[in-house]
Amino acid sequence: MLRPCLISLCLALAITFRCGGARATLGEPAESITRDTRNFSGVLLKSATRARYRVQSIASGTTATTVREYVGPSGVVFAVAWNGLVHPDLQVLLGNYHHDYRKALSHAVRLPGRRGAKVTTDRLVVETWGHMRNLQGRAYLPELLPEGVSLDEIR
């Protein structure tokens, strides 16, 4: 009786790890947030529902960083925000938009003495700020921002 359960468990784990390469990010369906949780070695926290969107929080145990993913009425992630000891892996969070971000970042001018940065492309806005042990940021897709949602709500 134990053997069939063990075989089933091994098969399920093999399928999970084989398919685990996909990542949830900006512009992807909300169902993929679970994969982000695995990518950040995190734990899903509370889900908060607002009038025009839903926020799903993920706490990373390895980096002491919390990531919040904002899901619009269409079921698509339109923004992400974070705070913690380190910035999260933006390649995971930005997904298909990461190349746009890296390209724009390479052309951005850093002002001396400024800790924050804002990178804007045609499709994406990424802002980072904070200081040691309290790094924060947000990234959003202006085109997918639900009507009536203020940028101040993405934090």
Side-chain angles (χ1 to χ4, degrees):
M1 195 179 302
L2 181 60
R3 192 171 189 181
C5 290
L6 188 58
I7 291 171
S8 296
L9 178 63
C10 290
L11 183 59
L13 287 172
I15 291 170
T16 300
F17 288 120
R18 182 167 169 92
C19 299
R23 296 176 174 150
T25 63
L26 287 172
E28 291 189 16
E31 292 81 26
S32 53
I33 291 174
T34 304
R35 287 178 282 194
D36 263 356
T37 305
R38 283 195 306 265
N39 287 329
F40 290 121
S41 300
V43 176
L44 278 176
L45 297 177
K46 63 183 177 192
S47 175
T49 302
R50 306 287 189 254
R52 294 180 172 89
Y53 59 90
R54 181 174 56 88
V55 182
Q56 180 64 60
S57 298
I58 302 168
S60 171
T62 58
T63 62
T65 299
T66 301
V67 174
R68 290 165 302 285
E69 299 196 22
Y70 294 74
V71 181
S74 64
V76 174
V77 177
F78 68 87
V80 293
W82 61 89
N83 65 289
L85 297 179
V86 298
H87 290 294
D89 183 353
L90 291 182
Q91 188 166 2
V92 171
L93 286 179
L94 302 180
N96 296 330
Y97 299 93
H98 188 258
H99 177 72
D100 294 357
Y101 167 71
R102 296 300 300 175
K103 186 175 179 182
L105 184 63
S106 69
H107 298 299
V109 176
R110 278 299 295 255
L111 299 174
R114 301 271 316 202
R115 291 186 180 143
K118 182 174 183 177
V119 175
T120 305
T121 71
D122 292 339
R123 307 181 312 158
L124 169 74
V125 177
V126 178
E127 299 172 321
T128 58
W129 64 92
H131 53 82
M132 188 169 44
R133 302 189 58 81
N134 185 22
L135 298 173
Q136 301 178 47
R138 67 180 175 186
Y140 59 93
L141 303 172
E143 199 171 277
L144 294 181
L145 198 67
E147 187 175 327
V149 174
S150 165
L151 292 179
D152 292 334
E153 297 176 60
I154 303 170
R155 50 189 153 92

